[in-house]
Amino acid sequence: MDLFEHQARQLFEEHGIVVPRAEITDSPKEAREIARRLGGRVVVKAQVKTGGRGKAGGVKLAADPAAAELTARQILGMEIKGHTVGTVMLAQPVDIESEFYVSYVLDRAAGRFLAIASAEGGMDVEEVAATRPEAVARIPVDPAEGVTSAKAGEIASAAGLPPRTADVLVRLWQVLVREDALLVEVNPLVRTAQGQLLALDGKVTLDDNAGFRQTRWGAEHEDRDDPLETAAAAKGLHYVKLDGSVGVIGNGAGLVMSTLDVVAGCGARPANFLDIGGGASARVMADGLSVILSDPAVKSVFVNVFGGITACDAVAEGIVQALDTVRLTKPLVVRLDGNNAARGRAILDEHAHPLVQQATTMDGAARRAAELATAAA
Ligand code: GDP
Ligand code: MN
């Protein structure tokens, strides 16, 4: 999960990295108050989980509280790379002398971290990296050894950063380790005309696998690409939006993946998929169906279950009970196989819902679901 800039800078601050004074708000009126508190002149910054805000007009200097209100009004609601700005941060402006780039990122292939640093940070760092790669230092970091003062000195010197930045590099590593991050980035890390080192922007990506011990930034802060993904995640379901018209529900990641292939093989495209995992209780089925059916692109739904520990009759009961709470609006093709498949099919036959049909093979069911989706399109 990515953090917002204002969350990232909170972590930096807690680990002793200096950041400018700042406050966030979603109201232009309050922006004016904040600007007054911060001394009048402020930088107004869009809070969205994407980079390049500066170039998109999402970072602007305001000369006084009235200008801050106006600028906040402009930036709030702005769309930046598909993200709508709901919050702005107002920060005390800094008198920049130099802009540096520093980051640590997990290098999965190498099984270690990579320190990336450059004395030419700022908004054009991607271009610097592309046109003059020698201006960007890449130093492997052994996760067991971490970034000691000596290592930090090595990174700073390789990148041509002032030796004093070593202290920031050590602290930034501590942010990564203590917060279970996969990426921490400061761009720009600036040296002010007064010689102070400050983190002016921050990006932190947390490792979702450590979510159980990093509960501070709740999922409600997450701005997923699709609102249904958020709704599904809130119910503990794994739902992914795709761009076709067949809704896919299956149990287990492997089966779900092959279901997508089979649907595609029948000439239709999956609209989404939802893995209900091992347990397919009525509750999970109802939640799953309601998520899938709320996607307007769905023209038919394919429920593909291979009964293992969860027997097919329990899944069938789940579907029948789910149909009591969820109004079925699209045709449902169900394929039950494996443990207690015959009993499961009998339960669905008995229920005889007009929009539910069964198929005994995965290919047959996929073909049927594809036909229904095409017919409805
Ligand atoms: P990004 O474009 O999303 O990476 O947003 P940043 O927070 O990095 O801001 C973009 C640029 O705005 C920075 O590289 C700085 O050059 C500039 N900037 C941000 N804050 C200040 C500030 O307090 N003073 C000055 N002079 N420039 C700033
Ligand atoms: Mn930046």
mmCIF file of all heavy atoms in Angstrom, residues 235 237 280-288 318 321-322 325:
data_model
loop_
_atom_site.group_PDB
_atom_site.id
_atom_site.type_symbol
_atom_site.label_atom_id
_atom_site.label_comp_id
_atom_site.label_asym_id
_atom_site.label_seq_id
_atom_site.Cartn_x
_atom_site.Cartn_y
_atom_site.Cartn_z
ATOM 1 N N LYS A 235 -14.841 -6.447 2.685
ATOM 2 C CA LYS A 235 -15.500 -7.695 3.085
ATOM 3 C C LYS A 235 -14.510 -8.855 3.127
ATOM 4 O O LYS A 235 -14.905 -10.013 3.258
ATOM 5 C CB LYS A 235 -16.623 -8.015 2.100
ATOM 6 C CG LYS A 235 -17.795 -7.055 2.216
ATOM 7 C CD LYS A 235 -18.827 -7.330 1.134
ATOM 8 C CE LYS A 235 -20.037 -6.418 1.358
ATOM 9 N NZ LYS A 235 -20.942 -6.411 0.199
ATOM 10 N N LEU A 237 -12.678 -9.969 0.638
ATOM 11 C CA LEU A 237 -12.662 -10.759 -0.596
ATOM 12 C C LEU A 237 -11.599 -10.234 -1.557
ATOM 13 O O LEU A 237 -11.308 -9.046 -1.572
ATOM 14 C CB LEU A 237 -14.023 -10.680 -1.287
ATOM 15 C CG LEU A 237 -15.215 -11.228 -0.498
ATOM 16 C CD1 LEU A 237 -16.519 -10.889 -1.208
ATOM 17 C CD2 LEU A 237 -15.098 -12.737 -0.332
ATOM 18 N N ALA A 280 -16.723 -21.307 1.317
ATOM 19 C CA ALA A 280 -17.707 -20.688 0.438
ATOM 20 C C ALA A 280 -19.045 -20.702 1.155
ATOM 21 O O ALA A 280 -20.004 -21.298 0.694
ATOM 22 C CB ALA A 280 -17.763 -21.419 -0.886
ATOM 23 N N SER A 281 -19.090 -20.061 2.286
ATOM 24 C CA SER A 281 -20.315 -19.997 3.077
ATOM 25 C C SER A 281 -21.343 -19.133 2.349
ATOM 26 O O SER A 281 -21.020 -18.439 1.383
ATOM 27 C CB SER A 281 -20.025 -19.381 4.432
ATOM 28 O OG SER A 281 -19.621 -18.045 4.268
ATOM 29 N N ALA A 282 -22.585 -19.185 2.843
ATOM 30 C CA ALA A 282 -23.649 -18.367 2.248
ATOM 31 C C ALA A 282 -23.260 -16.898 2.293
ATOM 32 O O ALA A 282 -23.457 -16.149 1.340
ATOM 33 C CB ALA A 282 -24.953 -18.589 3.001
ATOM 34 N N ARG A 283 -22.655 -16.481 3.410
ATOM 35 C CA ARG A 283 -22.255 -15.088 3.604
ATOM 36 C C ARG A 283 -21.240 -14.672 2.518
ATOM 37 O O ARG A 283 -21.391 -13.672 1.841
ATOM 38 C CB ARG A 283 -21.661 -14.983 5.016
ATOM 39 C CG ARG A 283 -20.890 -13.768 5.375
ATOM 40 C CD ARG A 283 -21.752 -12.689 5.986
ATOM 41 N NE ARG A 283 -22.111 -11.745 4.924
ATOM 42 C CZ ARG A 283 -23.306 -11.245 4.744
ATOM 43 N NH1 ARG A 283 -24.287 -11.601 5.544
ATOM 44 N NH2 ARG A 283 -23.534 -10.395 3.776
ATOM 45 N N VAL A 284 -20.208 -15.531 2.348
ATOM 46 C CA VAL A 284 -19.160 -15.236 1.366
ATOM 47 C C VAL A 284 -19.749 -15.216 -0.045
ATOM 48 O O VAL A 284 -19.444 -14.335 -0.849
ATOM 49 C CB VAL A 284 -18.009 -16.266 1.471
ATOM 50 C CG1 VAL A 284 -17.042 -16.116 0.317
ATOM 51 C CG2 VAL A 284 -17.277 -16.116 2.800
ATOM 52 N N MET A 285 -20.617 -16.184 -0.344
ATOM 53 C CA MET A 285 -21.273 -16.243 -1.657
ATOM 54 C C MET A 285 -22.114 -14.996 -1.897
ATOM 55 O O MET A 285 -22.071 -14.388 -2.970
ATOM 56 C CB MET A 285 -22.193 -17.464 -1.730
ATOM 57 C CG MET A 285 -21.662 -18.600 -2.548
ATOM 58 S SD MET A 285 -21.210 -18.074 -4.213
ATOM 59 C CE MET A 285 -20.156 -19.425 -4.640
ATOM 60 N N ALA A 286 -22.898 -14.613 -0.885
ATOM 61 C CA ALA A 286 -23.762 -13.446 -1.035
ATOM 62 C C ALA A 286 -22.913 -12.199 -1.244
ATOM 63 O O ALA A 286 -23.187 -11.378 -2.128
ATOM 64 C CB ALA A 286 -24.656 -13.285 0.194
ATOM 65 N N ASP A 287 -21.864 -12.047 -0.440
ATOM 66 C CA ASP A 287 -20.975 -10.893 -0.589
ATOM 67 C C ASP A 287 -20.342 -10.900 -1.977
ATOM 68 O O ASP A 287 -20.287 -9.875 -2.657
ATOM 69 C CB ASP A 287 -19.859 -10.927 0.474
ATOM 70 C CG ASP A 287 -20.369 -10.538 1.860
ATOM 71 O OD1 ASP A 287 -21.496 -10.003 1.935
ATOM 72 O OD2 ASP A 287 -19.650 -10.769 2.840
ATOM 73 N N GLY A 288 -19.859 -12.081 -2.383
ATOM 74 C CA GLY A 288 -19.190 -12.209 -3.669
ATOM 75 C C GLY A 288 -20.126 -11.869 -4.817
ATOM 76 O O GLY A 288 -19.782 -11.090 -5.709
ATOM 77 N N GLY A 318 -24.799 -22.396 0.001
ATOM 78 C CA GLY A 318 -24.363 -21.000 0.055
ATOM 79 C C GLY A 318 -24.977 -20.192 -1.069
ATOM 80 O O GLY A 318 -25.468 -19.088 -0.854
ATOM 81 N N GLN A 321 -28.793 -19.753 -0.438
ATOM 82 C CA GLN A 321 -29.045 -18.747 0.601
ATOM 83 C C GLN A 321 -28.685 -17.345 0.114
ATOM 84 O O GLN A 321 -29.374 -16.380 0.437
ATOM 85 C CB GLN A 321 -28.258 -19.076 1.872
ATOM 86 C CG GLN A 321 -28.842 -20.243 2.647
ATOM 87 C CD GLN A 321 -27.950 -20.625 3.818
ATOM 88 O OE1 GLN A 321 -27.402 -19.776 4.499
ATOM 89 N NE2 GLN A 321 -27.796 -21.928 4.034
ATOM 90 N N ALA A 322 -27.605 -17.267 -0.669
ATOM 91 C CA ALA A 322 -27.205 -15.963 -1.197
ATOM 92 C C ALA A 322 -28.309 -15.398 -2.082
ATOM 93 O O ALA A 322 -28.567 -14.196 -2.089
ATOM 94 C CB ALA A 322 -25.902 -16.081 -1.974
ATOM 95 N N THR A 325 -30.815 -13.220 -0.428
ATOM 96 C CA THR A 325 -30.465 -11.861 -0.008
ATOM 97 C C THR A 325 -30.035 -10.973 -1.178
ATOM 98 O O THR A 325 -30.136 -9.766 -1.105
ATOM 99 C CB THR A 325 -29.334 -11.875 1.043
ATOM 100 O OG1 THR A 325 -28.230 -12.588 0.499
ATOM 101 C CG2 THR A 325 -29.782 -12.551 2.324
#
